[in-house]
Amino acid sequence: MSPNPDWVKKLAVAAPRGSDLLAAERSASNLDVNQLSDYLFTKAALDTRDRILKILLNDPIFDKSQNYFQGRQERIQASLGKAKRLRQLQVQHSWSEDEYMIANDLLAEPTPYGLHASMFLKTLRDQGTPEQHKLFLTRAENYEIIGCYAQTELGHGSNVRGLETTATWNQSDKTFTLHSPQLTSSKWWIGSLGKVSNHAVVMAQLIIDGKRYGPHPFVVQIRDMNTHQPLPNVHVGDIGPKFGYNTMDNGFLLLNNLKIPHVNMLARFSRVDPSSGRYEQPANPAAIYGTLTWVRSTIVLQSGSVLARGVTIATRYSAVRRQFQDLDAKGNVGENQVLDYTMVQYRLLPLLAATFALHFTGRSMISLYEENQQRVARKQEPPKLKDANRRPGPEELNPGADLMADLHATSCALKSYGSTVAGEGLEVCRRACGGHGYSSFSGIGTWFADYLPTLTWEGDNYMLTQQVCRYLLKTARAVLAGKAGDNDTARILKTFLARRDTGAAFDVLASDSDLVDAYAWRVAYFTFEALQHRDVDKQSWNSLLVDFYRLSTAHAQYMVVKSFYGALVDPSQSSLDRQTTTVLQQLFRLFALHTLEREATEFFSSGATTTRQIQLARKAIMKLLGDIRPHAIRLVDAWSFPDWQLDSSLGREDGNVYEDLFHRASELNPLNKVVFDPYPHNNNILKGEEPKSKL
Amino acid sequence: MSPNPDWVKKLAVAAPRGSDLLAAERSASNLDVNQLSDYLFTKAALDTRDRILKILLNDPIFDKSQNYFQGRQERIQASLGKAKRLRQLQVQHSWSEDEYMIANDLLAEPTPYGLHASMFLKTLRDQGTPEQHKLFLTRAENYEIIGCYAQTELGHGSNVRGLETTATWNQSDKTFTLHSPQLTSSKWWIGSLGKVSNHAVVMAQLIIDGKRYGPHPFVVQIRDMNTHQPLPNVHVGDIGPKFGYNTMDNGFLLLNNLKIPHVNMLARFSRVDPSSGRYEQPANPAAIYGTLTWVRSTIVLQSGSVLARGVTIATRYSAVRRQFQDLDAKGNVGENQVLDYTMVQYRLLPLLAATFALHFTGRSMISLYEENQQRVARKQEPPKLKDANRRPGPEELNPGADLMADLHATSCALKSYGSTVAGEGLEVCRRACGGHGYSSFSGIGTWFADYLPTLTWEGDNYMLTQQVCRYLLKTARAVLAGKAGDNDTARILKTFLARRDTGAAFDVLASDSDLVDAYAWRVAYFTFEALQHRDVDKQSWNSLLVDFYRLSTAHAQYMVVKSFYGALVDPSQSSLDRQTTTVLQQLFRLFALHTLEREATEFFSSGATTTRQIQLARKAIMKLLGDIRPHAIRLVDAWSFPDWQLDSSLGREDGNVYEDLFHRASELNPLNKVVFDPYPHNNNILKGEEPKSKL
């Protein structure tokens, strides 16, 4: 294709232009965007982000203009180039871990170094001895060793106990033999393994003298340090394209009776004594539980900003896009901004509210976690376990573990709920953009596809809910037995029991704290109902899984509503002006009432609300949509995403949507550089090309 | 990467193998798969399909093994090759339109000829005069002219009235000047336009003597017939990559005062008299309405089979995949097939029921449409319209148009609902496959992404619901005035009114027909409620859009439940044996009760059911899941998808899931043919490659 001819270059977009529409939106609201941004992220964090952004923008390797056009192989090769430069910049600017992660966030794509820089280093650090740190960690931190964390297998994901890979101890030469006995034993989905790792932490069933001791971590060299070719008896490669995440080399790995030295079993928490061949557990693995809880809390915090990217794009574009005149309008008043349609508001504004709800919830999870870590650090004791195969439950690890157990269960419930809301919400945002939402240039599709694994990894969102309910049932039993500890779950269950004979009377439409209490009531009601099914009616665990999923979701929704409410009454929030707090309170009510309406059956069947209150909630929601509408653009502005991070024609801060779509299609699109031969009787595909004999 | 080493080739998958598990599933049910398939599709249709499949399988051009690996440009070029060969085969085997479509369905990807073969030919045929048929249609049918249907613009999708492209009549030289006055006037999203069309039917605002007559179709040559380069004053190209549908060349088109002859305005329904320059409407455009209704009915029918592909894959894989031992199991009994978990059943089996529900609904829509077409053909009359700009409503086109209007509204409601259920259901299926669902080899992701535009085109799924409600309100007004016609909507509204003072008493858990009636009651209740809001309370149209969306969905759900029930009591169904009819009835009840439970608030707030019935529905659903579970594999087998069409490792009919995943990853994956240089201090990406200077 020839470049845009002159007559095309002269064309303007139809008035009113997107830039004028967004400017009008911004001037119609007096919400202080900077104040709210600073409250959400702190000014210091935003300044750091801007400093790093400037560095990335100045480096041509980070150019994103071909991202949406590249095929998988070009994409992942380009991504490795970006990863290498990020690492070089990390060294050059002495970036902290946090600063390096900020740079990755701005890049907004997984890179082949992703699992090396996270799980591989973390596992070596947390589970290695000082000797192993010297041997592996230092070199890994230096990118001489590049590695991954190889747990999941072709035939086993969630059920770690079922892993097939074995590590057999050889007393004679003090080695382990790592082996994949079957095809289904192949490690699978392992990030950074497919193309870049030369080492892997392999989770394998430890076998000593024919006895199995469960899965343990082993450091295995898999590729030659110079040629990068697989070592003998190692079969490794990339598992192929995925729905998203295609800049990551998720890999497979099979091992054929490969011997590794004794020192390669990561030995901080358990080891084989080389002289006796005895299995030993020298230290307390509490940290592992802490790590999982921390990872999930991070997912909760991120879910808010993940969703906010989609909401920012869809909200801005809905203010720029105009379709149809209002049916009741008198005369020719022009087309409506689609954001003025209540159906669009009803789809987008509750998601906008959810972004803040999830952000505040994640923040409160992280501080609870940090508080708890300090507590654990103060009174850590080695556990006494009879069954060496069994991992200790968190409550066995220290006597005051109530908060820890509560935090663990809450992190499971919120990880499941938060990532589901974010993942499904992104697709709602994409669809709310109409036809253009389907273009890659919308920036939502790729982001959605890259995010979806979060709903499955770190605990599948359905599986996790069983852990939540196991904890809720256990707490309910303890409450009934008068032995419950001191945490919020016990508190809401006790409150419910105390009012069992009087029932609830929550003023959900007039009182914010009553609204929170209604959510707590619903959790307590269904917890005791589940307990009845399980302990009294003796129903099978399997028959209760659907109830459990609902109960865990109810628990998560309670936590989110409670955390959002907590943020509103938090003294630190007093730095905000009246307008901002008013809008935040409206967003809180929108989130809480909209969720209540969606789950209406549970609210009235538990007696938390009346059916009349639910009908009134619908009216209140429609009113809130109108209240929040004028501030919608400024609210997404407060999320403060740089255009470069969003990489979206529709979500541009300046509103120049159509100019940008046209520019990308007509000037950046490589498909427009070739000419097709369209006729079926010509077997060639490109004009002037030799006909393909096989056609 | 070296090919699989010998020790890998010898590896088997863990027992029990997928093939054994599926064989066991099939032998545990006595459902007659062939009988059910024949009932769904007819034996003749299945035979035709198999005959065509054999032809495609024998032709190497249709090889699918690289589909998931190719980037956009390779994919679309390969797709054009396939499209050319399909066209050659069509000629060679004298395939009918139907047979050609069956071949396309088996290929299971949109091709660049897609819009030529459908909308372009159809528009020329339906809207051209005999002279124009000779000039354009014959050559188009012969693939000398290759074309598209250019309606949507960069700035206007749904609102056809708002199109900016103009066609100005020049009386002096009897030509039209086609012009794109602004950048937003650019035609956009036009299938087959980007790379292959040399002609386009362009919808443009007709202007005669300064007066506007609304959008009309014009045939415009856009590329040279030999060089295939754009003609002067034409700017045309591909709009770039999309979330899916990347084998189609959706294009853009700008025209700069391009003159075309008088004969290029498609003139069957309206024309400009060349001698006087007067605008004339010589014929009845009823057929256009019929076409839209037909297209939507087809989408409803397809939605069942679109969803069935995902359900087939997820159900088969859930029978092969085993994770965790049942928590209540005694001793070591091995891991459960995940299909045995009630949470998995609860996600998949209602969707399995939905596939049949949508299939029977689509079938009944198509026969209603055909019946109606015959009726229209019998008594067609030219309409008398005062406003030339306004398209006549269907009821103006012939006096007995009640059925037509009803069909039109129903097709809108069902298109919106059916495609939403199918699109969202596919993502549920993908997630139900756990981690492997995310692999491209699952076959669900690409299919989902390719299907998603259906939720937006042929009437956006939200926009359409307004048309449905406009019709429902109109019918309700007619019923109240005693002037309603003879159709099902009027019937259910009258029935509701007759019992307004006594209320409903539907035995939804014991009687299938009562279950259908409860759905009808809910529609009628909310129709009159909406009428109250609009006509009495004088609420604005915009304030009611959320209610309208719900009402349209309720109407669609009623139609689906009614159609499924109709299929069960249809005499032709008597050819089915008792086992099959029993299972179909269970599927009907599962679909109807599961939908009722999801929409519980509306059922009890309309008084269609009691709250107790809703609680009991939950129990009934759990029971039905258990009843249907043993037949799940045979039920998806009855959908009868060839493996080649599904192109899925997880959905293989033989259950060899893990072998196939491994084969594709390790042997077909081109990324495993290169070796990366993993170290950040080496700027080259591939081993041995020159370092890139820019890194």
Side-chain angles (χ1 to χ4, degrees):
Chain A
M1 192 185 65
S2 43
N4 291 339
D6 284 340
W7 58 270
V8 168
K9 287 183 198 149
K10 286 183 208 147
L11 294 174
V13 304
R17 295 165 51 99
S19 49
D20 295 337
L21 286 163
L22 287 194
E25 289 285 334
R26 291 184 176 115
S27 69
S29 161
N30 55 357
L31 192 78
D32 186 335
V33 170
N34 290 333
Q35 188 190 64
L36 183 52
S37 293
D38 292 350
Y39 178 65
L40 293 172
F41 311 109
T42 77
K43 176 143 179 43
L46 291 167
D47 288 347
T48 304
R49 199 266 320 260
D50 290 343
R51 174 169 47 80
I52 293 170
L53 177 62
K54 205 170 289 172
I55 295 169
L56 302 187
L57 283 175
N58 280 329
D59 199 325
I61 186 111
F62 297 118
D63 170 48
K64 293 188 178 184
S65 69
Q66 282 300 307
N67 280 5
Y68 294 131
F69 301 105
Q70 288 171 332
R72 171 138 203 249
Q73 193 149 341
E74 293 163 284
R75 272 287 267 156
I76 191 169
Q77 293 188 189
S79 190
L80 179 57
K82 293 170 190 174
K84 288 185 176 193
R85 177 52 56 92
L86 276 188
R87 168 62 191 164
Q88 293 166 0
L89 289 170
Q90 183 181 21
V91 174
Q92 183 187 332
H93 297 282
S94 308
W95 280 344
S96 67
E97 272 308 296
D98 272 0
E99 288 169 315
Y100 176 72
M101 290 317 297
I102 289 168
N104 271 286
D105 271 0
L106 289 167
L107 190 60
E109 70 183 30
T111 78
Y113 283 172
L115 274 285
H116 168 83
S118 57
M119 276 300 279
F120 184 63
L121 292 181
K122 184 159 187 52
T123 307
L124 292 179
R125 206 170 280 145
D126 291 353
Q127 304 194 39
T129 61
E131 181 196 4
Q132 291 172 325
H133 285 175
K134 217 161 142 185
L135 199 57
F136 304 118
L137 179 61
T138 314
R139 287 160 69 209
E141 285 174 336
N142 217 16
Y143 284 71
E144 294 161 32
I145 287 179
I146 295 173
C148 57
Y149 180 79
Q151 178 169 302
T152 301
E153 295 177 355
L154 183 53
H156 281 90
S158 303
N159 186 9
V160 179
R161 299 285 176 82
L163 294 179
E164 296 172 12
T165 306
T166 55
T168 308
W169 171 247
N170 310 303
Q171 182 64 34
S172 57
D173 60 358
K174 321 281 187 203
T175 61
F176 297 97
T177 299
L178 275 282
H179 187 56
S180 314
Q182 310 181 99
L183 196 68
T184 36
S185 325
S186 178
K187 295 295 173 185
W188 206 266
W189 282 113
I190 314 304
S192 301
L193 168 65
K195 301 307 297 177
V196 302
S197 289
N198 49 33
H199 281 66
V201 169
V202 175
M203 290 296 281
Q205 302 282 357
L206 173 63
I207 301 175
I208 309 172
D209 250 351
K211 190 179 165 198
R212 289 181 166 248
Y213 290 82
H216 286 77
F218 299 84
V219 178
V220 183
Q221 185 182 339
I222 54 172
R223 286 188 173 99
D224 183 271
M225 302 300 280
N226 289 316
T227 66
H228 204 58
Q229 291 288 347
L231 296 182
N233 293 311
V234 172
H235 193 47
V236 58
D238 172 272
I239 64 162
K242 296 141 293 186
F243 191 57
Y245 231 75
N246 281 313
T247 48
M248 175 63 81
D249 57 329
N250 297 88
F252 65 85
L253 175 68
L254 281 161
L255 304 171
N256 184 35
N257 289 309
L258 189 75
K259 278 202 175 186
I260 58 171
H262 173 265
V263 72
N264 284 30
M265 174 175 169
L266 290 178
R268 179 157 167 222
F269 298 115
S270 40
R271 62 191 286 266
V272 177
D273 176 60
S275 51
S276 67
R278 272 217 346 252
Y279 179 78
E280 291 172 352
Q281 265 196 322
N284 176 352
I288 299 173
Y289 273 84
T291 301
L292 289 177
T293 303
W294 185 81
V295 168
R296 288 179 190 133
S297 304
T298 309
I299 290 177
V300 179
L301 182 63
Q302 284 168 346
S303 64
S305 88
V306 163
L307 179 57
R309 278 180 59 155
V311 172
T312 299
I313 293 167
T315 305
R316 285 181 180 158
Y317 178 52
S318 296
V320 170
R321 180 180 172 214
R322 296 158 69 247
Q323 293 274 359
F324 293 103
Q325 187 164 312
D326 192 288
L327 200 90
D328 294 319
K330 310 265 181 273
N332 186 356
V333 298
E335 292 181 297
N336 258 4
Q337 289 168 283
V338 301
L339 191 54
D340 283 331
Y341 291 111
T342 58
M343 190 70 233
V344 173
Q345 293 169 9
Y346 188 80
R347 291 150 80 190
L348 288 182
L349 299 185
L351 290 176
L352 174 60
T355 64
F356 292 98
L358 292 171
H359 179 80
F360 291 127
T361 305
R363 219 158 72 167
S364 104
M365 283 295 297
I366 302 268
S367 36
L368 269 177
Y369 171 81
E370 282 164 0
E371 192 185 306
N372 189 61
Q373 282 302 94
Q374 289 167 8
R375 204 185 287 207
V376 168
R378 281 196 298 273
K379 47 178 172 179
Q380 197 146 10
E381 293 179 8
K384 288 165 193 69
L385 292 173
K386 286 170 226 153
D387 175 3
N389 256 342
R390 191 170 64 89
R391 277 190 171 170
E395 68 289 354
E396 298 172 66
L397 299 173
N398 72 71
D402 287 324
L403 189 77
M404 178 72 169
D406 203 53
L407 196 60
H408 171 78
T410 303
S411 79
C412 291
L414 285 172
K415 184 271 170 180
S416 168
Y417 177 68
S419 60
T420 301
V421 169
E424 294 181 351
L426 285 175
E427 172 59 10
V428 172
C429 292
R430 194 194 62 71
R431 257 183 253 170
C433 295
H436 293 327
Y438 194 64
S439 167
S440 296
F441 309 146
S442 79
I444 306 181
T446 308
W447 183 242
F448 166 71
D450 282 354
Y451 184 68
L452 279 177
T454 312
L455 281 66
T456 305
W457 68 30
E458 305 301 344
D460 171 88
N461 282 1
Y462 286 94
M463 294 293 305
L464 274 182
T465 62
Q466 295 186 51
Q467 299 195 38
V468 179
C469 293
R470 198 171 292 133
Y471 169 75
L472 290 175
L473 293 182
K474 202 175 140 189
T475 309
R477 288 187 199 108
V479 165
L480 290 175
K483 290 180 187 166
D486 176 28
N487 62 41
D488 188 61
T489 306
R491 186 187 63 76
I492 66 172
L493 294 176
K494 285 180 204 162
T495 307
F496 174 82
L497 282 186
R499 289 194 62 92
R500 211 171 203 176
D501 295 334
T502 46
F506 299 119
D507 195 5
V508 291
L509 287 144
S511 156
D512 290 350
S513 66
D514 271 28
L515 194 45
V516 178
D517 290 342
Y519 272 85
W521 180 275
R522 165 181 167 231
V523 174
Y525 177 92
F526 285 107
T527 299
F528 285 113
E529 189 186 80
L531 191 70
Q532 166 82 21
H533 290 326
R534 181 67 181 160
D535 288 3
V536 182
D537 308 339
K538 305 288 180 194
Q539 276 190 241
S540 72
W541 188 261
N542 187 18
S543 72
L544 292 169
L545 295 181
V546 177
D547 289 346
F548 288 161
Y549 181 76
R550 290 188 179 121
L551 175 54
S552 173
T553 303
H555 179 56
Q557 288 168 339
Y558 159 63
M559 290 300 302
V560 174
V561 168
K562 184 183 145 209
S563 304
F564 200 164
Y565 179 69
L568 291 182
V569 296
D570 178 358
S572 81
Q573 177 259 27
S574 64
S575 64
L576 297 174
D577 62 25
R578 197 179 177 79
Q579 174 67 77
T580 307
T581 51
T582 302
V583 175
L584 282 180
Q585 200 209 9
Q586 287 165 343
L587 288 167
F588 161 76
R589 295 189 63 73
L590 179 61
F591 178 81
L593 291 173
H594 182 260
T595 306
L596 183 148
E597 188 205 10
R598 283 185 60 161
E599 313 283 0
T601 315
E602 293 193 5
F603 277 92
F604 75 76
S605 69
S606 66
T609 66
T610 66
T611 53
R612 178 68 186 148
Q613 282 175 316
I614 287 164
Q615 287 171 329
L616 292 171
R618 284 202 173 182
K619 284 184 77 165
I621 290 165
M622 298 309 288
K623 165 100 175 45
L624 285 163
L625 296 178
D627 293 339
I628 295 165
R629 161 69 186 90
H631 308 293
I633 295 300
R634 283 188 172 240
L635 281 167
V636 300
D637 285 350
W639 273 97
S640 183
F641 294 106
D643 275 344
W644 190 72
Q645 188 177 15
L646 294 180
D647 198 12
S648 163
S649 297
L650 308 186
R652 285 175 68 100
E653 196 181 354
D654 64 9
N656 290 332
V657 165
Y658 299 116
E659 295 88 335
D660 198 59
L661 279 173
F662 192 81
H663 165 67
R664 292 185 191 240
S666 70
E667 295 176 286
L668 300 180
N669 185 357
L671 191 58
N672 286 327
K673 292 187 182 130
V674 296
V675 178
F676 281 19
D677 184 312
Y679 302 109
H681 51 274
N682 296 339
N683 278 346
N684 52 311
I685 300 301
L686 297 182
K687 206 71 195 171
E689 179 195 49
E690 279 300 294
K692 291 209 170 113
S693 59
K694 70 172 183 169
L695 182 68
Chain B
M1 191 184 64
S2 42
N4 292 339
D6 284 341
W7 59 270
V8 169
K9 287 183 196 148
K10 286 182 207 147
L11 295 174
V13 304
R17 295 163 51 97
S19 48
D20 296 336
L21 286 164
L22 287 195
E25 289 285 334
R26 289 182 176 115
S27 70
S29 160
N30 55 357
L31 192 77
D32 187 335
V33 170
N34 290 333
Q35 188 190 64
L36 183 53
S37 293
D38 293 349
Y39 177 66
L40 292 172
F41 311 108
T42 78
K43 176 142 179 42
L46 291 167
D47 288 347
T48 304
R49 198 264 321 259
D50 290 342
R51 174 168 48 79
I52 294 170
L53 177 62
K54 206 170 289 171
I55 295 170
L56 302 186
L57 282 175
N58 281 329
D59 199 324
I61 187 115
F62 297 118
D63 171 49
K64 294 187 178 184
S65 69
Q66 283 299 307
N67 280 5
Y68 294 131
F69 301 105
Q70 289 171 332
R72 168 133 207 251
Q73 194 149 340
E74 293 163 284
R75 273 286 267 154
I76 192 170
Q77 292 188 191
S79 191
L80 178 57
K82 293 171 191 175
K84 288 185 175 193
R85 176 54 53 91
L86 277 187
R87 168 62 189 164
Q88 292 166 1
L89 290 170
Q90 183 181 22
V91 174
Q92 184 187 330
H93 297 281
S94 307
W95 281 344
S96 67
E97 273 307 296
D98 272 357
E99 288 170 315
Y100 175 72
M101 289 318 297
I102 289 168
N104 271 286
D105 271 359
L106 289 166
L107 189 61
E109 69 184 31
T111 77
Y113 283 172
L115 274 286
H116 168 84
S118 56
M119 276 300 280
F120 184 64
L121 291 181
K122 184 157 186 54
T123 306
L124 292 179
R125 207 170 279 144
D126 292 353
Q127 303 194 41
T129 60
E131 181 196 3
Q132 291 173 323
H133 285 175
K134 216 160 143 188
L135 199 58
F136 305 118
L137 179 61
T138 314
R139 287 159 70 208
E141 285 174 335
N142 216 17
Y143 283 71
E144 293 161 33
I145 287 179
I146 295 174
C148 58
Y149 180 80
Q151 180 169 301
T152 301
E153 294 177 356
L154 183 54
H156 281 92
S158 303
N159 187 9
V160 179
R161 299 286 175 83
L163 294 179
E164 298 172 12
T165 307
T166 54
T168 309
W169 171 246
N170 309 303
Q171 182 64 32
S172 56
D173 60 359
K174 322 280 188 204
T175 60
F176 297 97
T177 299
L178 274 283
H179 187 57
S180 313
Q182 310 181 97
L183 196 67
T184 36
S185 325
S186 178
K187 295 295 172 184
W188 206 266
W189 283 113
I190 313 305
S192 301
L193 168 65
K195 301 306 298 178
V196 302
S197 288
N198 49 32
H199 282 66
V201 170
V202 173
M203 290 296 280
Q205 302 282 359
L206 173 62
I207 302 175
I208 308 173
D209 249 350
K211 189 181 166 197
R212 288 181 167 248
Y213 290 83
H216 286 77
F218 299 84
V219 179
V220 182
Q221 185 181 339
I222 54 171
R223 286 186 173 103
D224 183 272
M225 302 300 281
N226 289 316
T227 66
H228 204 58
Q229 293 287 348
L231 297 182
N233 293 311
V234 172
H235 192 47
V236 59
D238 173 271
I239 64 162
K242 296 142 289 186
F243 191 57
Y245 232 75
N246 281 311
T247 48
M248 174 63 80
D249 57 329
N250 297 88
F252 66 83
L253 175 67
L254 281 161
L255 303 171
N256 184 36
N257 289 309
L258 189 75
K259 279 202 175 185
I260 58 172
H262 173 265
V263 73
N264 282 30
M265 173 175 171
L266 290 178
R268 181 157 165 222
F269 298 115
S270 40
R271 63 192 286 268
V272 177
D273 176 60
S275 51
S276 67
R278 270 215 351 249
Y279 179 77
E280 292 173 350
Q281 265 194 323
N284 176 354
I288 298 173
Y289 274 84
T291 301
L292 288 176
T293 302
W294 184 82
V295 169
R296 287 179 190 136
S297 304
T298 309
I299 289 176
V300 179
L301 182 64
Q302 284 168 345
S303 66
S305 88
V306 163
L307 178 57
R309 279 181 58 155
V311 171
T312 299
I313 293 168
T315 304
R316 284 181 181 158
Y317 178 52
S318 296
V320 170
R321 179 179 172 214
R322 297 158 69 247
Q323 292 274 359
F324 293 102
Q325 186 165 313
D326 191 289
L327 200 90
D328 294 319
K330 309 265 182 274
N332 186 355
V333 297
E335 292 181 298
N336 258 5
Q337 290 168 282
V338 302
L339 192 54
D340 283 331
Y341 291 111
T342 56
M343 190 70 233
V344 173
Q345 292 169 10
Y346 188 80
R347 292 149 80 191
L348 288 182
L349 299 186
L351 290 176
L352 174 60
T355 64
F356 291 98
L358 292 171
H359 179 79
F360 291 126
T361 306
R363 220 158 71 167
S364 104
M365 283 295 297
I366 302 268
S367 36
L368 269 177
Y369 171 81
E370 282 165 0
E371 190 185 307
N372 190 61
Q373 283 302 94
Q374 289 166 8
R375 204 185 287 207
V376 169
R378 281 197 298 274
K379 48 178 173 180
Q380 198 148 5
E381 294 180 7
K384 285 165 193 67
L385 293 173
K386 285 169 227 152
D387 175 5
N389 257 342
R390 191 170 63 87
R391 277 191 172 169
E395 69 288 355
E396 299 173 63
L397 299 173
N398 72 71
D402 287 324
L403 189 77
M404 179 71 169
D406 203 54
L407 196 62
H408 170 78
T410 304
S411 77
C412 291
L414 285 171
K415 184 272 169 180
S416 168
Y417 177 68
S419 59
T420 301
V421 169
E424 294 181 351
L426 285 175
E427 171 61 9
V428 172
C429 292
R430 194 194 62 71
R431 258 183 249 169
C433 294
H436 293 326
Y438 195 63
S439 166
S440 296
F441 308 146
S442 79
I444 305 180
T446 308
W447 183 241
F448 166 70
D450 281 354
Y451 184 68
L452 279 177
T454 312
L455 281 66
T456 307
W457 68 31
E458 305 302 343
D460 171 87
N461 282 0
Y462 286 93
M463 293 294 304
L464 274 182
T465 63
Q466 296 186 52
Q467 298 197 37
V468 179
C469 293
R470 198 169 292 133
Y471 170 74
L472 289 175
L473 293 183
K474 201 176 141 190
T475 309
R477 287 185 200 109
V479 165
L480 289 176
K483 289 180 188 164
D486 175 29
N487 62 41
D488 188 61
T489 305
R491 186 188 63 77
I492 66 172
L493 294 176
K494 284 181 206 162
T495 307
F496 174 82
L497 282 186
R499 288 194 63 90
R500 211 171 203 177
D501 295 334
T502 46
F506 299 118
D507 196 5
V508 290
L509 287 144
S511 156
D512 290 351
S513 66
D514 271 28
L515 194 44
V516 178
D517 289 344
Y519 272 85
W521 179 274
R522 166 181 167 232
V523 174
Y525 177 92
F526 285 107
T527 300
F528 285 113
E529 190 186 79
L531 191 69
Q532 166 82 20
H533 290 327
R534 181 67 181 160
D535 287 4
V536 181
D537 309 340
K538 304 288 180 196
Q539 277 191 240
S540 72
W541 188 260
N542 188 18
S543 73
L544 293 170
L545 295 182
V546 178
D547 289 346
F548 288 161
Y549 181 76
R550 290 190 178 117
L551 175 54
S552 173
T553 303
H555 179 57
Q557 289 169 339
Y558 159 63
M559 289 301 300
V560 174
V561 167
K562 184 184 145 208
S563 304
F564 200 165
Y565 179 69
L568 291 182
V569 297
D570 177 359
S572 80
Q573 176 258 29
S574 64
S575 64
L576 297 173
D577 62 25
R578 197 180 177 80
Q579 176 67 78
T580 308
T581 50
T582 303
V583 175
L584 282 179
Q585 200 208 10
Q586 288 164 342
L587 288 166
F588 161 75
R589 295 190 64 73
L590 179 60
F591 179 82
L593 291 173
H594 182 260
T595 306
L596 183 148
E597 188 205 8
R598 283 185 59 161
E599 312 283 1
T601 315
E602 293 193 6
F603 277 91
F604 76 75
S605 69
S606 65
T609 66
T610 66
T611 54
R612 178 70 186 147
Q613 281 174 317
I614 286 163
Q615 288 171 329
L616 292 172
R618 283 201 174 183
K619 284 184 78 165
I621 290 165
M622 297 310 287
K623 166 103 178 41
L624 284 164
L625 295 178
D627 293 339
I628 294 165
R629 161 69 186 90
H631 308 293
I633 296 299
R634 283 187 172 241
L635 281 167
V636 300
D637 285 350
W639 273 96
S640 184
F641 293 107
D643 275 345
W644 190 73
Q645 188 178 15
L646 293 180
D647 198 12
S648 163
S649 296
L650 307 187
R652 285 174 67 99
E653 197 181 353
D654 64 9
N656 290 332
V657 165
Y658 299 117
E659 296 88 335
D660 198 60
L661 279 173
F662 193 80
H663 165 68
R664 291 185 191 240
S666 70
E667 295 176 286
L668 301 181
N669 185 356
L671 191 58
N672 286 326
K673 291 187 182 131
V674 297
V675 178
F676 281 19
D677 185 313
Y679 302 109
H681 51 275
N682 296 339
N683 278 346
N684 52 312
I685 300 301
L686 297 182
K687 205 70 196 171
E689 179 195 49
E690 279 300 295
K692 293 212 169 112
S693 58
K694 70 170 181 168
L695 182 67

